[in-house]
Amino acid sequence: MNSDPRQVLERLCVERGEDFAGLSRMLGRNAAYIQQFVRRGVPKRLKEEERRKLARYFAVSEALLGGPAETVVAANGLVNVNRHTVGVSAGPGAIATEELGKPFFGFDERWLKALTSTPAERLSIVRVEGDSMASTLNHGDDILVDPDDAAERLRDGIYVLRADDALVVKRLALHPMGRRVTVQSDNPAYPDWPDCSLDQIQIIGRVIWAARKVV
């Protein structure tokens, strides 16, 4: 993930299965408008009304799309983290897109800052679909994903990643030498993906917290 508005918009399109032409038409522009903005830098920045429409459509902060920096705080003083309608698969690798209800989770600001230094507007809540990460993560769990806790900070742990056009949540085990990892499922009924190159997968972010129903 990146704070550059063009890269953010391109990432959102990939994650949500949107296309540039469709977004351009939503803004009342010609079909090439968003593609030119993302790939050629024309225009240099989105107009305020366009930025607001896109932010509402994707349920993200306008700051991610070039707007002024902001801290989203709920009426009760909690910091809001966006909850997205896309689910991450912990099963066959499909992308689920069911409606999840409320667009955000509210967290105590001090608690969240103790958990991560990443600003709340860059964090995401998504839902786990499937059972390949059981019993660590179960079907229906909501997970908090930190996009800044990856890249050069990559280490053993649970990550949301894109592989073969599927958005999945898996455990990564780094090999001691080179840019290679083993992609693991915590459920022994599912096979691991041994000796994968980091160039084969796109790491979206590290899972740093999970919420689940107690039964």
Side-chain angles (χ1 to χ4, degrees):
M1 292 185 178
N2 195 291
S3 58
D4 181 275
R6 292 174 179 80
Q7 295 186 27
V8 168
L9 187 55
E10 184 170 23
R11 171 179 56 80
L12 287 170
C13 286
V14 171
E15 290 179 2
R16 314 293 178 82
E18 301 289 346
D19 63 83
F20 294 156
L23 293 180
S24 298
R25 288 191 290 269
M26 183 185 72
L27 298 177
R29 295 283 191 168
N30 67 73
Y33 180 71
I34 292 297
Q35 182 173 1
Q36 290 175 343
F37 170 70
V38 171
R39 301 286 169 75
R40 297 174 55 190
V42 179
K44 290 184 177 180
R45 59 182 59 86
L46 295 168
K47 290 185 177 181
E48 182 178 354
E49 182 180 353
E50 296 169 344
R51 185 180 67 233
R52 185 177 297 115
K53 281 185 178 180
L54 289 169
R56 288 176 178 174
Y57 183 77
F58 285 113
V60 299
S61 167
E62 284 190 50
L64 293 178
L65 299 176
E70 60 184 67
T71 300
V72 182
V73 181
N76 57 5
L78 299 179
V79 176
N80 290 344
V81 173
N82 287 320
R83 186 189 195 203
H84 298 299
T85 56
V86 63
V88 294
S89 174
I95 300 177
T97 56
E98 66 171 296
E99 178 60 46
L100 298 187
K102 290 185 178 181
F104 59 83
F105 268 37
F107 293 93
D108 177 81
E109 185 175 13
R110 287 186 298 178
W111 180 90
L112 191 61
K113 286 183 176 179
L115 186 65
T116 176
S117 60
T118 301
E121 60 267 21
R122 286 184 48 73
L123 302 172
S124 299
I125 291 283
V126 291
R127 176 159 292 180
V128 174
E129 303 291 338
D131 65 351
S132 75
M133 287 300 292
S135 59
T136 307
L137 297 174
N138 295 320
H139 177 78
D141 287 354
D142 287 297
I143 55 176
L144 181 61
V145 182
D146 186 346
D148 293 345
D149 199 351
E152 63 274 5
R153 296 171 61 183
L154 187 67
R155 59 200 185 279
D156 290 356
I158 300 174
Y159 289 83
V160 173
L161 53 94
R162 181 174 292 279
D164 296 329
D165 296 324
L167 199 62
V168 298
V169 57
K170 295 291 181 182
R171 185 179 298 278
L172 296 185
L174 275 65
H175 293 196
M177 299 290 290
R179 290 175 51 82
R180 308 195 71 84
V181 297
T182 293
V183 181
Q184 301 174 325
S185 299
D186 284 5
N187 185 340
Y190 289 80
D192 294 340
W193 308 341
D195 197 28
C196 294
S197 169
L198 286 175
D199 297 330
Q200 295 176 280
I201 58 177
Q202 177 188 355
I203 298 174
I204 304 299
R206 185 180 177 93
V207 177
I208 59 173
W209 178 85
R212 67 173 52 176
K213 180 180 179 181
V214 178
V215 294

